[in-house]
Amino acid sequence: MATYDTIIIGAGAAGLMCAITAGQRGRRVLILDRSNKVGKKILMSGGGRCNFTNLQTSPDHFVSANPHFCKSALSRYTQWDFIDLVERHRIEYFEKQTINGLSGQLFCQQSSKQILAMLLDECSRAGADIRTRCETTSVTHKDGYHLQTSQGLFSAQTLVVASGGLSIPSLGGSGFGYQLAEQFGLHRLPTTAGLVPFTFSGAMKDLCGRLSGISCEAVLSCQKSSFREDILFTHRGLSGPAVLQISSYWKPGETISVNLLPGLDAKRLLKAWKRKHPRAMLRKLLGTKLPKKLAWELESLHWPGQRELLLAEWPDRQLESVAEQLQAWELKPAATEGYRTAEVTLGGVDTRDLSSRTMESGTPGLFFIGEVIDVTGQLGGFNFQWAWSSGYAAGQAL
Ligand SMILES: Cc1cc2nc3c(=O)[nH]c(=O)nc-3n(C[C@H](O)[C@H](O)[C@H](O)COP(=O)(O)OP(=O)(O)OC[C@H]3O[C@@H](n4cnc5c(N)ncnc54)[C@H](O)[C@@H]3O)c2cc1C
């Protein structure tokens, strides 16, 4: 059997990048993946076009108990380094154009398959071996690392855990990396679903159902974070980029505040409408700024008693209170849709137990990279950038 310097558990974004980097440095690398195909999340990502990085990548776009941890790796393998690799492989890409929200998101012009093909090409040039349908079930550490797998025993001097998080189990997500971390004495921070839609119960669930498929721009705020993006009503609750973003900052039981008229002074606007259109109904004018169906639902929710009033008949004080409801609509999600649909897993291996330079743990030769670590990017290509950067950091140290 071939002998290896390094075994990497997980052939996702982080594991492949780590294999490329270590292989280029002359290390004999084996990657093991339990799935039948490697890089499943890469293929599914960005609606099939892979949002592979973000031009604005900086530590501010990451959630972690230690916000400083990601700085070193992100600065040593940047978005520009990955763009350079993509350009060398002549993969055409574009920056998604948005008016207000996220900017700097880079997608493949054609298909996310190109990113995976590029990584596999680099792996093969670097001499890295890949085994699929090979699940690691246990690891022992004595004179190297010894992995019991569904295809037998494999050993190497160093071990990299790139097994990802718990999100979307059908795409490979597993808790195995957390289990290994605990086995080797690392701390594990609580894990929850991130970048995930909200569900609601009761009247709000019914309202979302009636509006299902409708989207509009809004600012969503929770604690000290806010995002201006689209929201989308679904049969179960709320989705859309603004909702996915804020979900990573939300804790069960908390309310989120929704501003349906971002960038506008609603109090002034409603009073100006009253002056200019005294014989109009509020819902009609609101329907020029919001989807009409939403305006009708808001009317039933916030001012059912004044439904048939002409604007001229509204006291200013009441218009002001409606304006407040439109710009600070307090919603209490029942839950999130959970790991079933979450793009990422928040929490994970505690960064205090890892070197921010190399991703090595206190146990010599044992490394953790990618999503398994308590570093989670916002929506917009940041999670892949973390996979590339952390994979590179470990690959340089192996
Ligand atoms: C639908 C979807 C779309 C996304 N779109 C984007 C996007 O456009 N841009 C972006 O930046 N991020 C996106 N993400 C997030 C991004 O895909 C992840 O953050 C990233 O893939 C994490 O990479 P990773 O290598 O750490 O883990 P993963 O990609 O999850 O890879 C882990 C691998 O480990 C393997 N594995 C697990 N346990 C074992 C075991 N015991 N033995 C052997 N193998 C094992 C799994 O089979 C898997 O292949 C998306 C996520 C999802 C779910």
mmCIF file of all heavy atoms in Angstrom, residues 9-15 32-35 37 39 41-42 44-46 50-52 107 134-136 162-165 167-168 171-174 176 342-344 369-372 380-385 387, ligand 1:
data_model
loop_
_atom_site.group_PDB
_atom_site.id
_atom_site.type_symbol
_atom_site.label_atom_id
_atom_site.label_comp_id
_atom_site.label_asym_id
_atom_site.label_seq_id
_atom_site.Cartn_x
_atom_site.Cartn_y
_atom_site.Cartn_z
ATOM 1 N N ILE A 9 -9.188 14.280 5.578
ATOM 2 C CA ILE A 9 -10.551 13.727 5.616
ATOM 3 C C ILE A 9 -11.491 14.785 5.043
ATOM 4 O O ILE A 9 -11.687 15.844 5.636
ATOM 5 C CB ILE A 9 -10.988 13.368 7.051
ATOM 6 C CG1 ILE A 9 -10.012 12.375 7.685
ATOM 7 C CG2 ILE A 9 -12.419 12.818 7.042
ATOM 8 C CD1 ILE A 9 -10.326 12.045 9.145
ATOM 9 N N GLY A 10 -12.057 14.524 3.868
ATOM 10 C CA GLY A 10 -13.011 15.453 3.252
ATOM 11 C C GLY A 10 -12.456 16.092 1.996
ATOM 12 O O GLY A 10 -11.471 16.835 2.032
ATOM 13 N N ALA A 11 -13.074 15.752 0.847
ATOM 14 C CA ALA A 11 -12.655 16.353 -0.433
ATOM 15 C C ALA A 11 -13.649 17.431 -0.846
ATOM 16 O O ALA A 11 -14.201 17.415 -1.936
ATOM 17 C CB ALA A 11 -12.541 15.269 -1.503
ATOM 18 N N GLY A 12 -13.885 18.354 0.072
ATOM 19 C CA GLY A 12 -14.668 19.547 -0.255
ATOM 20 C C GLY A 12 -13.699 20.661 -0.618
ATOM 21 O O GLY A 12 -12.521 20.414 -0.921
ATOM 22 N N ALA A 13 -14.191 21.885 -0.571
ATOM 23 C CA ALA A 13 -13.376 23.037 -0.980
ATOM 24 C C ALA A 13 -12.080 23.128 -0.168
ATOM 25 O O ALA A 13 -10.986 23.281 -0.733
ATOM 26 C CB ALA A 13 -14.204 24.318 -0.820
ATOM 27 N N ALA A 14 -12.194 23.000 1.143
ATOM 28 C CA ALA A 14 -11.018 23.183 1.998
ATOM 29 C C ALA A 14 -10.017 22.032 1.803
ATOM 30 O O ALA A 14 -8.807 22.271 1.664
ATOM 31 C CB ALA A 14 -11.454 23.277 3.460
ATOM 32 N N GLY A 15 -10.537 20.810 1.791
ATOM 33 C CA GLY A 15 -9.648 19.648 1.659
ATOM 34 C C GLY A 15 -8.898 19.657 0.335
ATOM 35 O O GLY A 15 -7.693 19.371 0.291
ATOM 36 N N LEU A 32 -9.533 11.463 1.525
ATOM 37 C CA LEU A 32 -10.602 10.461 1.644
ATOM 38 C C LEU A 32 -11.938 11.159 1.739
ATOM 39 O O LEU A 32 -12.082 12.123 2.504
ATOM 40 C CB LEU A 32 -10.397 9.627 2.921
ATOM 41 C CG LEU A 32 -9.043 8.947 3.095
ATOM 42 C CD1 LEU A 32 -8.987 8.228 4.445
ATOM 43 C CD2 LEU A 32 -8.797 7.958 1.955
ATOM 44 N N ASP A 33 -12.917 10.701 0.974
ATOM 45 C CA ASP A 33 -14.255 11.280 1.110
ATOM 46 C C ASP A 33 -15.294 10.174 1.124
ATOM 47 O O ASP A 33 -15.220 9.229 0.342
ATOM 48 C CB ASP A 33 -14.557 12.267 -0.024
ATOM 49 C CG ASP A 33 -15.658 13.226 0.389
ATOM 50 O OD1 ASP A 33 -16.809 12.779 0.581
ATOM 51 O OD2 ASP A 33 -15.356 14.417 0.552
ATOM 52 N N ARG A 34 -16.254 10.333 2.000
ATOM 53 C CA ARG A 34 -17.264 9.280 2.137
ATOM 54 C C ARG A 34 -18.296 9.303 1.002
ATOM 55 O O ARG A 34 -18.983 8.329 0.770
ATOM 56 C CB ARG A 34 -17.972 9.404 3.475
ATOM 57 C CG ARG A 34 -18.789 10.642 3.633
ATOM 58 C CD ARG A 34 -19.497 10.612 4.968
ATOM 59 N NE ARG A 34 -20.425 11.709 5.082
ATOM 60 C CZ ARG A 34 -21.447 11.713 5.907
ATOM 61 N NH1 ARG A 34 -21.700 10.684 6.664
ATOM 62 N NH2 ARG A 34 -22.230 12.759 5.974
ATOM 63 N N SER A 35 -18.388 10.440 0.288
ATOM 64 C CA SER A 35 -19.393 10.541 -0.774
ATOM 65 C C SER A 35 -18.933 9.804 -2.028
ATOM 66 O O SER A 35 -17.756 9.494 -2.181
ATOM 67 C CB SER A 35 -19.611 12.009 -1.155
ATOM 68 O OG SER A 35 -20.203 12.674 -0.098
ATOM 69 N N LYS A 37 -19.050 11.284 -4.877
ATOM 70 C CA LYS A 37 -18.434 12.324 -5.716
ATOM 71 C C LYS A 37 -17.764 13.340 -4.811
ATOM 72 O O LYS A 37 -18.275 13.617 -3.719
ATOM 73 C CB LYS A 37 -19.521 13.078 -6.495
ATOM 74 C CG LYS A 37 -19.879 12.451 -7.816
ATOM 75 C CD LYS A 37 -20.636 13.452 -8.671
ATOM 76 C CE LYS A 37 -22.113 13.345 -8.471
ATOM 77 N NZ LYS A 37 -22.956 14.230 -9.144
ATOM 78 N N GLY A 39 -16.512 17.276 -3.823
ATOM 79 C CA GLY A 39 -16.916 18.674 -4.063
ATOM 80 C C GLY A 39 -18.385 18.887 -4.368
ATOM 81 O O GLY A 39 -18.738 19.756 -5.153
ATOM 82 N N LYS A 41 -20.732 20.261 -2.660
ATOM 83 C CA LYS A 41 -21.242 21.615 -2.334
ATOM 84 C C LYS A 41 -20.764 22.646 -3.346
ATOM 85 O O LYS A 41 -21.454 23.613 -3.625
ATOM 86 C CB LYS A 41 -20.842 22.017 -0.913
ATOM 87 C CG LYS A 41 -21.714 21.343 0.112
ATOM 88 C CD LYS A 41 -21.556 21.905 1.495
ATOM 89 C CE LYS A 41 -22.437 21.074 2.428
ATOM 90 N NZ LYS A 41 -22.122 21.299 3.834
ATOM 91 N N ILE A 42 -19.560 22.413 -3.875
ATOM 92 C CA ILE A 42 -19.064 23.339 -4.908
ATOM 93 C C ILE A 42 -20.012 23.285 -6.102
ATOM 94 O O ILE A 42 -20.426 24.309 -6.645
ATOM 95 C CB ILE A 42 -17.624 22.963 -5.339
ATOM 96 C CG1 ILE A 42 -16.673 23.091 -4.156
ATOM 97 C CG2 ILE A 42 -17.164 23.825 -6.519
ATOM 98 C CD1 ILE A 42 -15.254 22.598 -4.420
ATOM 99 N N MET A 44 -23.167 22.445 -6.218
ATOM 100 C CA MET A 44 -24.503 22.968 -5.935
ATOM 101 C C MET A 44 -24.500 24.479 -5.699
ATOM 102 O O MET A 44 -25.546 25.122 -5.701
ATOM 103 C CB MET A 44 -25.056 22.331 -4.649
ATOM 104 C CG MET A 44 -25.350 20.877 -4.756
ATOM 105 S SD MET A 44 -26.644 20.576 -5.941
ATOM 106 C CE MET A 44 -28.031 21.275 -5.086
ATOM 107 N N SER A 45 -23.320 25.019 -5.440
ATOM 108 C CA SER A 45 -23.267 26.386 -4.920
ATOM 109 C C SER A 45 -23.638 27.436 -5.950
ATOM 110 O O SER A 45 -23.543 27.201 -7.156
ATOM 111 C CB SER A 45 -21.848 26.670 -4.411
ATOM 112 O OG SER A 45 -20.964 26.664 -5.502
ATOM 113 N N GLY A 46 -24.049 28.580 -5.408
ATOM 114 C CA GLY A 46 -24.339 29.747 -6.248
ATOM 115 C C GLY A 46 -25.297 29.428 -7.382
ATOM 116 O O GLY A 46 -25.105 29.902 -8.497
ATOM 117 N N CYS A 50 -21.443 28.710 -8.670
ATOM 118 C CA CYS A 50 -20.425 28.860 -7.625
ATOM 119 C C CYS A 50 -19.973 30.305 -7.393
ATOM 120 O O CYS A 50 -19.195 30.857 -8.163
ATOM 121 C CB CYS A 50 -19.190 28.001 -7.925
ATOM 122 S SG CYS A 50 -18.017 27.975 -6.561
ATOM 123 N N ASN A 51 -20.459 30.854 -6.318
ATOM 124 C CA ASN A 51 -19.988 32.185 -5.892
ATOM 125 C C ASN A 51 -18.673 31.931 -5.152
ATOM 126 O O ASN A 51 -18.642 31.764 -3.954
ATOM 127 C CB ASN A 51 -21.060 32.803 -4.988
ATOM 128 C CG ASN A 51 -20.668 34.137 -4.416
ATOM 129 O OD1 ASN A 51 -21.283 34.598 -3.454
ATOM 130 N ND2 ASN A 51 -19.658 34.764 -4.978
ATOM 131 N N PHE A 52 -17.568 31.866 -5.935
ATOM 132 C CA PHE A 52 -16.329 31.294 -5.401
ATOM 133 C C PHE A 52 -15.505 32.214 -4.507
ATOM 134 O O PHE A 52 -14.642 31.753 -3.777
ATOM 135 C CB PHE A 52 -15.476 30.734 -6.545
ATOM 136 C CG PHE A 52 -15.145 31.738 -7.630
ATOM 137 C CD1 PHE A 52 -14.133 32.643 -7.468
ATOM 138 C CD2 PHE A 52 -15.872 31.745 -8.818
ATOM 139 C CE1 PHE A 52 -13.826 33.553 -8.468
ATOM 140 C CE2 PHE A 52 -15.574 32.642 -9.827
ATOM 141 C CZ PHE A 52 -14.553 33.566 -9.650
ATOM 142 N N PHE A 107 -18.979 35.033 -9.581
ATOM 143 C CA PHE A 107 -19.597 33.766 -10.013
ATOM 144 C C PHE A 107 -18.955 33.310 -11.321
ATOM 145 O O PHE A 107 -18.503 34.144 -12.114
ATOM 146 C CB PHE A 107 -21.082 33.961 -10.322
ATOM 147 C CG PHE A 107 -21.960 34.175 -9.119
ATOM 148 C CD1 PHE A 107 -22.051 35.422 -8.523
ATOM 149 C CD2 PHE A 107 -22.704 33.132 -8.605
ATOM 150 C CE1 PHE A 107 -22.866 35.622 -7.421
ATOM 151 C CE2 PHE A 107 -23.530 33.323 -7.506
ATOM 152 C CZ PHE A 107 -23.610 34.563 -6.916
ATOM 153 N N CYS A 134 -15.214 6.471 0.752
ATOM 154 C CA CYS A 134 -14.288 5.995 1.781
ATOM 155 C C CYS A 134 -14.533 6.796 3.054
ATOM 156 O O CYS A 134 -14.005 7.897 3.214
ATOM 157 C CB CYS A 134 -12.844 6.152 1.282
ATOM 158 S SG CYS A 134 -11.650 5.451 2.413
ATOM 159 N N GLU A 135 -15.346 6.259 3.915
ATOM 160 C CA GLU A 135 -15.718 6.971 5.135
ATOM 161 C C GLU A 135 -14.747 6.657 6.260
ATOM 162 O O GLU A 135 -14.485 5.483 6.553
ATOM 163 C CB GLU A 135 -17.144 6.579 5.547
ATOM 164 C CG GLU A 135 -17.544 7.222 6.859
ATOM 165 C CD GLU A 135 -19.035 7.274 7.063
ATOM 166 O OE1 GLU A 135 -19.757 6.532 6.361
ATOM 167 O OE2 GLU A 135 -19.474 8.055 7.928
ATOM 168 N N THR A 136 -14.224 7.683 6.875
ATOM 169 C CA THR A 136 -13.363 7.469 8.036
ATOM 170 C C THR A 136 -14.268 7.260 9.238
ATOM 171 O O THR A 136 -15.158 8.076 9.501
ATOM 172 C CB THR A 136 -12.453 8.687 8.283
ATOM 173 O OG1 THR A 136 -11.776 8.992 7.070
ATOM 174 C CG2 THR A 136 -11.442 8.414 9.381
ATOM 175 N N ALA A 162 -11.067 17.995 7.308
ATOM 176 C CA ALA A 162 -11.765 18.973 6.448
ATOM 177 C C ALA A 162 -13.150 18.412 6.137
ATOM 178 O O ALA A 162 -13.615 18.430 5.009
ATOM 179 C CB ALA A 162 -10.977 19.188 5.153
ATOM 180 N N SER A 163 -13.805 17.909 7.191
ATOM 181 C CA SER A 163 -15.047 17.147 6.991
ATOM 182 C C SER A 163 -16.289 18.015 6.996
ATOM 183 O O SER A 163 -17.400 17.497 6.958
ATOM 184 C CB SER A 163 -15.142 16.053 8.054
ATOM 185 O OG SER A 163 -14.971 16.617 9.334
ATOM 186 N N GLY A 164 -16.119 19.348 7.049
ATOM 187 C CA GLY A 164 -17.265 20.246 6.911
ATOM 188 C C GLY A 164 -18.157 20.253 8.140
ATOM 189 O O GLY A 164 -17.783 19.763 9.211
ATOM 190 N N GLY A 165 -19.361 20.820 7.957
ATOM 191 C CA GLY A 165 -20.289 20.955 9.087
ATOM 192 C C GLY A 165 -21.505 20.073 8.909
ATOM 193 O O GLY A 165 -21.479 19.099 8.159
ATOM 194 N N SER A 167 -24.580 21.055 7.869
ATOM 195 C CA SER A 167 -25.618 21.516 6.952
ATOM 196 C C SER A 167 -25.776 20.590 5.746
ATOM 197 O O SER A 167 -24.790 20.072 5.220
ATOM 198 C CB SER A 167 -25.313 22.943 6.488
ATOM 199 O OG SER A 167 -23.953 23.061 6.178
ATOM 200 N N ILE A 168 -26.986 20.416 5.330
ATOM 201 C CA ILE A 168 -27.381 19.576 4.198
ATOM 202 C C ILE A 168 -26.649 18.229 4.176
ATOM 203 O O ILE A 168 -25.729 17.998 3.382
ATOM 204 C CB ILE A 168 -27.245 20.306 2.845
ATOM 205 C CG1 ILE A 168 -27.741 21.745 2.981
ATOM 206 C CG2 ILE A 168 -27.967 19.541 1.754
ATOM 207 C CD1 ILE A 168 -28.226 22.391 1.717
ATOM 208 N N LEU A 171 -25.436 16.435 1.093
ATOM 209 C CA LEU A 171 -24.268 16.909 0.346
ATOM 210 C C LEU A 171 -22.975 16.589 1.099
ATOM 211 O O LEU A 171 -21.924 17.147 0.815
ATOM 212 C CB LEU A 171 -24.360 18.413 0.092
ATOM 213 C CG LEU A 171 -25.529 18.881 -0.783
ATOM 214 C CD1 LEU A 171 -25.506 20.399 -0.958
ATOM 215 C CD2 LEU A 171 -25.475 18.214 -2.154
ATOM 216 N N GLY A 172 -23.077 15.742 2.098
ATOM 217 C CA GLY A 172 -21.846 15.258 2.743
ATOM 218 C C GLY A 172 -21.651 15.713 4.177
ATOM 219 O O GLY A 172 -20.802 15.199 4.879
ATOM 220 N N GLY A 173 -22.448 16.696 4.605
ATOM 221 C CA GLY A 173 -22.259 17.233 5.957
ATOM 222 C C GLY A 173 -22.256 16.128 7.012
ATOM 223 O O GLY A 173 -23.091 15.229 6.965
ATOM 224 N N SER A 174 -21.298 16.193 7.924
ATOM 225 C CA SER A 174 -21.261 15.179 8.983
ATOM 226 C C SER A 174 -20.679 15.793 10.251
ATOM 227 O O SER A 174 -19.975 16.789 10.211
ATOM 228 C CB SER A 174 -20.408 13.976 8.559
ATOM 229 O OG SER A 174 -19.064 14.125 8.949
ATOM 230 N N PHE A 176 -18.548 14.292 12.049
ATOM 231 C CA PHE A 176 -17.365 13.497 12.373
ATOM 232 C C PHE A 176 -16.190 14.375 12.845
ATOM 233 O O PHE A 176 -15.446 14.008 13.763
ATOM 234 C CB PHE A 176 -16.943 12.640 11.172
ATOM 235 C CG PHE A 176 -15.829 11.715 11.500
ATOM 236 C CD1 PHE A 176 -16.021 10.647 12.357
ATOM 237 C CD2 PHE A 176 -14.555 11.910 10.980
ATOM 238 C CE1 PHE A 176 -14.985 9.783 12.690
ATOM 239 C CE2 PHE A 176 -13.506 11.057 11.308
ATOM 240 C CZ PHE A 176 -13.723 9.991 12.153
ATOM 241 N N ALA A 342 -29.854 24.721 5.532
ATOM 242 C CA ALA A 342 -28.857 25.746 5.877
ATOM 243 C C ALA A 342 -27.640 25.666 4.957
ATOM 244 O O ALA A 342 -27.174 24.571 4.648
ATOM 245 C CB ALA A 342 -28.409 25.555 7.317
ATOM 246 N N GLU A 343 -27.127 26.818 4.564
ATOM 247 C CA GLU A 343 -25.912 26.795 3.727
ATOM 248 C C GLU A 343 -24.675 26.503 4.548
ATOM 249 O O GLU A 343 -23.681 26.023 4.009
ATOM 250 C CB GLU A 343 -25.744 28.145 3.001
ATOM 251 C CG GLU A 343 -26.506 28.197 1.714
ATOM 252 C CD GLU A 343 -26.045 29.303 0.785
ATOM 253 O OE1 GLU A 343 -24.912 29.801 0.913
ATOM 254 O OE2 GLU A 343 -26.865 29.673 -0.065
ATOM 255 N N VAL A 344 -24.719 26.851 5.832
ATOM 256 C CA VAL A 344 -23.519 26.661 6.652
ATOM 257 C C VAL A 344 -23.876 26.248 8.072
ATOM 258 O O VAL A 344 -25.025 26.345 8.484
ATOM 259 C CB VAL A 344 -22.675 27.962 6.746
ATOM 260 C CG1 VAL A 344 -21.921 28.234 5.465
ATOM 261 C CG2 VAL A 344 -23.523 29.126 7.161
ATOM 262 N N ILE A 369 -9.537 22.417 9.157
ATOM 263 C CA ILE A 369 -9.713 23.515 8.187
ATOM 264 C C ILE A 369 -11.165 23.582 7.690
ATOM 265 O O ILE A 369 -11.912 22.610 7.799
ATOM 266 C CB ILE A 369 -8.771 23.352 6.953
ATOM 267 C CG1 ILE A 369 -8.998 21.985 6.277
ATOM 268 C CG2 ILE A 369 -7.325 23.527 7.338
ATOM 269 C CD1 ILE A 369 -8.252 21.831 4.950
ATOM 270 N N GLY A 370 -11.529 24.738 7.142
ATOM 271 C CA GLY A 370 -12.842 24.893 6.507
ATOM 272 C C GLY A 370 -13.965 25.086 7.498
ATOM 273 O O GLY A 370 -13.794 25.636 8.597
ATOM 274 N N GLU A 371 -15.124 24.572 7.114
ATOM 275 C CA GLU A 371 -16.351 24.860 7.856
ATOM 276 C C GLU A 371 -16.412 24.189 9.227
ATOM 277 O O GLU A 371 -17.180 24.612 10.097
ATOM 278 C CB GLU A 371 -17.537 24.410 6.994
ATOM 279 C CG GLU A 371 -18.848 25.007 7.440
ATOM 280 C CD GLU A 371 -20.003 24.601 6.529
ATOM 281 O OE1 GLU A 371 -19.832 24.599 5.298
ATOM 282 O OE2 GLU A 371 -21.073 24.295 7.068
ATOM 283 N N VAL A 372 -15.630 23.158 9.444
ATOM 284 C CA VAL A 372 -15.658 22.458 10.729
ATOM 285 C C VAL A 372 -15.200 23.373 11.878
ATOM 286 O O VAL A 372 -15.568 23.180 13.033
ATOM 287 C CB VAL A 372 -14.790 21.159 10.655
ATOM 288 C CG1 VAL A 372 -13.308 21.478 10.585
ATOM 289 C CG2 VAL A 372 -15.086 20.224 11.798
ATOM 290 N N GLY A 380 -22.255 35.377 0.221
ATOM 291 C CA GLY A 380 -21.592 36.208 -0.783
ATOM 292 C C GLY A 380 -20.240 35.708 -1.243
ATOM 293 O O GLY A 380 -19.466 36.479 -1.811
ATOM 294 N N GLY A 381 -19.917 34.437 -0.985
ATOM 295 C CA GLY A 381 -18.638 33.911 -1.456
ATOM 296 C C GLY A 381 -17.590 33.844 -0.358
ATOM 297 O O GLY A 381 -16.479 33.360 -0.573
ATOM 298 N N PHE A 382 -17.941 34.306 0.844
ATOM 299 C CA PHE A 382 -16.965 34.354 1.936
ATOM 300 C C PHE A 382 -16.658 32.964 2.489
ATOM 301 O O PHE A 382 -15.555 32.708 2.963
ATOM 302 C CB PHE A 382 -17.471 35.267 3.054
ATOM 303 C CG PHE A 382 -17.746 36.671 2.578
ATOM 304 C CD1 PHE A 382 -19.047 37.134 2.430
ATOM 305 C CD2 PHE A 382 -16.704 37.519 2.240
ATOM 306 C CE1 PHE A 382 -19.312 38.413 1.979
ATOM 307 C CE2 PHE A 382 -16.949 38.800 1.780
ATOM 308 C CZ PHE A 382 -18.255 39.253 1.649
ATOM 309 N N ASN A 383 -17.650 32.065 2.433
ATOM 310 C CA ASN A 383 -17.391 30.730 2.989
ATOM 311 C C ASN A 383 -16.394 29.960 2.146
ATOM 312 O O ASN A 383 -15.519 29.271 2.680
ATOM 313 C CB ASN A 383 -18.710 29.974 3.178
ATOM 314 C CG ASN A 383 -19.418 30.497 4.405
ATOM 315 O OD1 ASN A 383 -18.906 30.367 5.516
ATOM 316 N ND2 ASN A 383 -20.551 31.150 4.210
ATOM 317 N N PHE A 384 -16.503 30.090 0.826
ATOM 318 C CA PHE A 384 -15.487 29.432 -0.003
ATOM 319 C C PHE A 384 -14.124 30.087 0.218
ATOM 320 O O PHE A 384 -13.107 29.396 0.279
ATOM 321 C CB PHE A 384 -15.877 29.456 -1.477
ATOM 322 C CG PHE A 384 -16.845 28.352 -1.839
ATOM 323 C CD1 PHE A 384 -17.934 28.595 -2.656
ATOM 324 C CD2 PHE A 384 -16.647 27.059 -1.356
ATOM 325 C CE1 PHE A 384 -18.828 27.574 -2.980
ATOM 326 C CE2 PHE A 384 -17.533 26.030 -1.669
ATOM 327 C CZ PHE A 384 -18.621 26.290 -2.481
ATOM 328 N N GLN A 385 -14.101 31.417 0.339
ATOM 329 C CA GLN A 385 -12.802 32.054 0.553
ATOM 330 C C GLN A 385 -12.160 31.535 1.838
ATOM 331 O O GLN A 385 -10.956 31.308 1.894
ATOM 332 C CB GLN A 385 -12.937 33.585 0.573
ATOM 333 C CG GLN A 385 -11.590 34.306 0.627
ATOM 334 C CD GLN A 385 -10.651 33.929 -0.528
ATOM 335 O OE1 GLN A 385 -11.055 33.896 -1.684
ATOM 336 N NE2 GLN A 385 -9.383 33.626 -0.207
ATOM 337 N N ALA A 387 -12.619 28.550 3.065
ATOM 338 C CA ALA A 387 -12.142 27.189 2.754
ATOM 339 C C ALA A 387 -10.792 27.264 2.030
ATOM 340 O O ALA A 387 -9.843 26.546 2.362
ATOM 341 C CB ALA A 387 -13.167 26.453 1.902
HETATM 342 C C1 LIG B 1 -26.534 24.658 -1.243
HETATM 343 C C2 LIG B 1 -25.299 25.405 -0.806
HETATM 344 C C3 LIG B 1 -24.830 26.470 -1.575
HETATM 345 C C4 LIG B 1 -23.690 27.173 -1.171
HETATM 346 N N1 LIG B 1 -23.240 28.202 -1.946
HETATM 347 C C5 LIG B 1 -22.115 28.874 -1.580
HETATM 348 C C6 LIG B 1 -21.563 29.887 -2.427
HETATM 349 O O1 LIG B 1 -22.054 30.139 -3.539
HETATM 350 N N2 LIG B 1 -20.458 30.550 -1.978
HETATM 351 C C7 LIG B 1 -19.850 30.250 -0.769
HETATM 352 O O2 LIG B 1 -18.855 30.875 -0.425
HETATM 353 N N3 LIG B 1 -20.329 29.265 0.018
HETATM 354 C C8 LIG B 1 -21.432 28.575 -0.359
HETATM 355 N N4 LIG B 1 -21.901 27.546 0.440
HETATM 356 C C9 LIG B 1 -21.115 27.176 1.645
HETATM 357 C C10 LIG B 1 -19.905 26.333 1.200
HETATM 358 O O3 LIG B 1 -20.347 25.338 0.304
HETATM 359 C C11 LIG B 1 -19.245 25.664 2.415
HETATM 360 O O4 LIG B 1 -18.937 26.623 3.380
HETATM 361 C C12 LIG B 1 -17.967 24.951 1.973
HETATM 362 O O5 LIG B 1 -18.279 23.985 0.992
HETATM 363 C C13 LIG B 1 -17.277 24.282 3.141
HETATM 364 O O6 LIG B 1 -16.190 23.568 2.628
HETATM 365 P P1 LIG B 1 -15.503 22.393 3.470
HETATM 366 O O7 LIG B 1 -14.477 21.829 2.574
HETATM 367 O O8 LIG B 1 -15.104 22.888 4.814
HETATM 368 O O9 LIG B 1 -16.671 21.325 3.729
HETATM 369 P P2 LIG B 1 -17.564 20.486 2.698
HETATM 370 O O10 LIG B 1 -17.631 21.150 1.384
HETATM 371 O O11 LIG B 1 -18.841 20.198 3.413
HETATM 372 O O12 LIG B 1 -16.754 19.137 2.503
HETATM 373 C C14 LIG B 1 -16.645 18.187 3.531
HETATM 374 C C15 LIG B 1 -16.423 16.827 2.909
HETATM 375 O O13 LIG B 1 -16.097 15.913 3.929
HETATM 376 C C16 LIG B 1 -16.696 14.672 3.630
HETATM 377 N N5 LIG B 1 -16.817 13.907 4.885
HETATM 378 C C17 LIG B 1 -17.533 14.225 5.994
HETATM 379 N N6 LIG B 1 -17.365 13.289 6.943
HETATM 380 C C18 LIG B 1 -16.527 12.364 6.440
HETATM 381 C C19 LIG B 1 -15.965 11.150 6.935
HETATM 382 N N7 LIG B 1 -16.237 10.696 8.167
HETATM 383 N N8 LIG B 1 -15.135 10.436 6.132
HETATM 384 C C20 LIG B 1 -14.840 10.867 4.884
HETATM 385 N N9 LIG B 1 -15.333 11.990 4.362
HETATM 386 C C21 LIG B 1 -16.162 12.740 5.122
HETATM 387 C C22 LIG B 1 -18.015 15.040 2.995
HETATM 388 O O14 LIG B 1 -18.514 13.996 2.173
HETATM 389 C C23 LIG B 1 -17.657 16.293 2.201
HETATM 390 O O15 LIG B 1 -17.343 16.005 0.853
HETATM 391 C C24 LIG B 1 -23.026 26.829 0.040
HETATM 392 C C25 LIG B 1 -23.489 25.756 0.797
HETATM 393 C C26 LIG B 1 -24.610 25.030 0.380
HETATM 394 C C27 LIG B 1 -25.082 23.879 1.222
#
